Amino acid sequence: MKRARYQEGCLTRSKRKSGDVWEFRFRERQPDGTRKMRCVVVGSVDRYRTKTKALHQVEVLRANVNRVVIDPQTPIITSFKLLVGHYRATEMRMDNHDKKAYSTKKRNQSCLDKWILPRWGDYRPSQIKSVSVEDWLDSLVHNYRKKKKAKPLAGGTKVKIRNLMSAIFRHGMRHQFLPRVEEANPMKYVRQSGKRQGTPVVLEVGQFQQLFAALQQRERTMVLLDCGSGLRRGELIGLQWTDIDVAKKQMNVTRSVVEMVAGNVKTEASRKAVPLDDFMIEELLAWYAITPYKKPEDWVFASDSPRAGLKRGKQPYWPSTIMRHFIQPVAKKLGIGNINWHTFRHTYSTLLGANGEDPKVVQELLRHSSIKITMDIYTQAVTATKRKAQSRVIEMIAPKKKAGAVAPA
């Protein structure tokens, strides 16, 4: 797009071959002093359903075209909201998730709409100060409608808010909306601890065995895979039968499904093959024998609910629905308490540590991207060692009596 200053113009809705679009028409001053009519396509009507949203995007385009590069100290962006708008348009597009995962974008959108924009949207970037942001973060609480006492926002969530604001400031510097000086990003000086407010729930061996025995086959298989491999819930429901390699006793984690959108796994380390213990294979085959969806490309936990309609069998179960309606009620009835999918990942990690496994083995089994998440050690674990470590956990949590299994056709 040619760099030139927009004059006052008008926003119109026009029809094109590709569909209805919003167009911003304006007159551009030429070097000889005359003005020439120009037209910029703001976006499709499907993307910007109201004129107000389209006008907001016009302001973003205006800021992008009119940025002044002669004097970098000149304030270009009139508000932090406009900088956020440009960041959303370039870094958080929902038609491609190669650079940022869908789950990351959804979380960022939530942080922006719920916390950041209501407080800082109308400020100029230069008016946002480190100490003010720090005090604001300290004051953030969850607003529960049914509970009288508000709960402070988790430290980890505050760190994500701080880091997101920092990314937006760096985005402004990269695109020359802001001067490329250290002081242009006040988030560098914002102190915020990510310390947990409480200890994560971890199941004891007896509690897991009670829960496992009380569940139906579908939930038994899901819980065993989660607690016996440390899969994240998106990776768990993202499994397809082609990912299960019975001969090699492993499963290949190649995708993660978040809100029914399949995308890449969290990190490159997460793509490593996960070992499968014999008992885990037996439970998988027992589920394979009763599920109606057995093709290699079918989801391991494909939804068979009539409520899924045309998507029945074509998408996995919603993990939150399975947990809320089938697993948590059983856990509460057994007196185990309130658990979630991440409880099983924490339990797996804790049992590995309790068995005295090598920290490098623990890191690779949990598929962390860095050893710093576990411990600072540099030895390389072999596959046989990882399988042996996993089997010791399965021996602890699996019932002694094992059911027969049906092999895939």
Side-chain angles (χ1 to χ4, degrees):
M1 186 183 293
K2 183 179 178 180
R3 181 174 295 150
R5 287 193 175 278
Y6 282 133
Q7 304 298 324
E8 292 299 326
C10 63
L11 184 69
T12 60
R13 179 171 174 171
S14 303
K15 287 189 176 182
R16 297 202 173 192
K17 291 182 179 180
S18 58
D20 290 355
V21 297
W22 293 105
E23 293 181 345
F24 184 69
R25 302 177 183 273
F26 62 97
R27 292 186 181 276
E28 181 183 277
R29 188 179 295 278
Q30 304 299 304
D32 59 1
T34 61
R35 291 186 178 185
K36 189 175 181 179
M37 180 62 73
R38 297 291 189 188
C39 175
V40 175
V41 176
V42 179
S44 67
V45 175
D46 290 337
R47 185 175 182 182
Y48 305 106
R49 296 185 178 277
T50 64
K51 192 171 183 178
T52 302
K53 291 183 178 180
L55 284 171
H56 175 73
Q57 185 62 16
V58 169
E59 291 300 317
V60 174
L61 293 172
R62 189 196 301 270
N64 190 27
V65 173
N66 291 343
R67 54 189 176 184
V68 178
V69 296
I70 299 176
D71 182 8
Q73 300 297 327
T74 304
I76 307 302
I77 297 293
T78 58
S79 69
F80 190 65
K81 184 188 299 182
L82 294 182
L83 188 57
V84 169
H86 190 272
Y87 180 80
R88 277 175 157 163
T90 56
E91 300 292 331
M92 294 173 59
R93 293 174 53 185
M94 286 300 179
D95 57 348
N96 187 291
H97 307 302
D98 291 338
K99 292 184 178 180
K100 284 186 176 67
Y102 173 81
S103 57
T104 301
K105 294 177 182 178
K106 289 290 290 185
R107 184 193 67 204
N108 288 351
Q109 295 280 18
S110 176
C111 287
L112 288 169
D113 295 334
K114 188 174 182 179
W115 305 108
I116 298 175
L117 287 178
R119 177 64 178 85
W120 303 106
D122 295 331
Y123 281 72
R124 288 180 177 271
S126 59
Q127 293 176 321
I128 301 176
K129 305 300 180 182
S130 305
V131 176
S132 299
V133 174
E134 202 170 292
D135 293 340
W136 169 67
L137 288 172
D138 289 339
S139 68
L140 292 182
V141 295
H142 281 292
N143 295 320
Y144 294 107
R145 294 181 179 179
K146 297 182 179 180
K147 297 182 179 180
K148 295 181 180 179
K149 188 177 181 181
K151 182 181 179 181
L153 203 63
T157 304
K158 293 179 182 180
V159 169
K160 290 173 183 176
I161 292 174
R162 189 268 313 272
N163 292 347
L164 177 57
M165 292 183 69
S166 180
I168 294 171
F169 273 102
R170 292 196 304 272
H171 174 83
M173 295 164 67
R174 184 168 60 254
H175 288 267
Q176 299 181 356
F177 295 136
L178 303 176
R180 294 183 177 180
V181 294
E182 191 173 343
E183 291 74 14
N185 186 358
M187 298 301 108
K188 288 189 65 174
Y189 308 101
V190 175
R191 300 173 300 179
Q192 178 57 55
S193 172
K195 185 178 179 181
R196 296 180 183 273
Q197 293 178 333
T199 304
V201 177
V202 175
L203 297 180
E204 297 178 0
V205 173
Q207 289 177 320
F208 178 85
Q209 291 178 341
Q210 282 184 309
L211 179 65
F212 183 78
L215 295 173
Q216 298 298 316
Q217 187 61 57
R218 180 186 62 191
E219 291 78 44
R220 280 165 58 100
T221 308
M222 296 180 77
V223 164
L224 181 63
L225 281 181
D226 212 27
C227 195
S229 65
L231 290 178
R232 300 172 180 91
R233 71 175 195 171
E235 298 167 347
L236 176 66
I237 66 168
L239 289 173
Q240 295 178 348
W241 287 114
T242 187
D243 300 324
I244 308 299
D245 192 332
V246 176
K248 293 183 178 180
K249 295 184 178 182
Q250 68 181 31
M251 54 184 171
N252 302 307
V253 183
T254 59
R255 72 192 68 79
S256 178
V257 176
V258 179
E259 295 187 7
M260 295 303 123
V261 176
N264 296 326
V265 291
K266 189 172 183 180
T267 62
E268 187 62 31
S270 299
R271 300 183 67 88
K272 293 182 178 179
V274 177
L276 283 174
D277 180 79
D278 290 338
F279 182 69
M280 297 171 73
I281 293 175
E282 287 187 14
E283 290 296 322
L284 266 170
L285 294 179
W287 168 243
Y288 180 87
I290 62 177
T291 179
Y293 308 105
K294 306 176 188 290
K295 295 179 182 178
E297 66 274 12
D298 284 341
W299 304 103
V300 173
F301 301 106
S303 175
D304 195 35
S305 172
R307 297 178 63 183
L310 296 176
K311 295 182 179 179
R312 188 175 184 180
K314 298 180 181 180
Q315 68 179 25
Y317 287 103
W318 285 83
S320 56
T321 301
I322 296 294
M323 177 59 67
R324 183 168 60 252
H325 294 296
F326 297 96
I327 299 177
Q328 286 179 342
V330 176
K332 291 179 181 179
K333 186 177 180 180
L334 295 172
I336 295 175
N338 191 23
I339 62 174
N340 54 47
W341 286 113
H342 218 60
T343 299
F344 302 117
R345 184 170 169 85
H346 281 297
T347 300
Y348 184 51
S349 175
T350 302
L351 292 177
L352 286 169
N355 286 343
E357 305 298 348
D358 188 293
K360 184 64 179 179
V361 176
V362 178
Q363 180 214 348
E364 294 200 3
L365 282 171
L366 293 172
R367 295 166 298 119
H368 286 148
S369 60
S370 172
I371 191 63
K372 292 180 181 179
I373 302 176
T374 45
M375 289 185 68
D376 236 345
I377 193 166
Y378 302 96
T379 55
Q380 181 65 35
V382 296
T383 304
T385 306
K386 291 194 286 184
R387 180 170 286 110
K388 188 176 180 180
Q390 182 203 44
S391 293
R392 281 197 286 267
V393 172
I394 300 300
E395 288 174 6
M396 294 172 64
I397 64 177
K400 293 182 180 179
K401 185 178 180 181
K402 300 181 180 179
V406 179

